[in-house]
Amino acid sequence: MKENTHPEYREVVFLDVQTQKKIITRSTINTRETIELDGKTYPLFKCDVTSDSHPFYTGAQTRIVETGRVEKFRARFARATGAAKPAAAA
């Protein structure tokens, strides 16, 4: 392999700022901050959202009732095409 063509692949700490969970993994990301864990200094990347804090994964996501949406659409559509509805029935 050629030297100086690949980015540095090293251990990095990803910090979820909402839950304060720290994940150590390998990455090529460039960071300005560092953190010391277990006597070793790692580059630090702060994440706004991870699977620990995202509503989809935590179950806090509000579910939209599909039947309510369909009924609202039908009511709006019936109002907008009030004259066309009886003609279509004939």
Side-chain angles (χ1 to χ4, degrees), residues 13 22 34-44:
V13 174
K22 297 172 186 86
T34 60
I35 190 170
E36 187 168 328
L37 289 175
D38 302 326
K40 191 173 177 184
T41 303
Y42 297 98
L44 174 67

Side-chain angles (χ1 to χ4, degrees), residues 18 49-62:
Q18 292 182 17
V49 177
T50 64
S51 61
D52 285 339
S53 60
H54 193 279
F56 179 79
Y57 296 106
T58 61
Q61 178 177 340
T62 56

Side-chain angles (χ1 to χ4, degrees), residues 11-73:
E11 289 186 329
V12 177
V13 174
F14 288 84
L15 172 69
D16 185 341
V17 294
Q18 292 182 17
T19 63
Q20 298 302 312
K21 183 173 181 181
K22 297 172 186 86
I23 302 164
I24 300 174
T25 188
R26 296 185 54 85
S27 177
T28 60
I29 193 166
N30 292 323
T31 64
R32 292 187 177 125
E33 298 181 62
T34 60
I35 190 170
E36 187 168 328
L37 289 175
D38 302 326
K40 191 173 177 184
T41 303
Y42 297 98
L44 174 67
F45 182 79
K46 295 180 180 177
C47 302
D48 293 329
V49 177
T50 64
S51 61
D52 285 339
S53 60
H54 193 279
F56 179 79
Y57 296 106
T58 61
Q61 178 177 340
T62 56
R63 306 219 22 113
I64 299 171
V65 180
E66 293 297 323
T67 56
R69 294 178 109 191
V70 171
E71 294 305 320
K72 285 180 184 178
F73 172 77

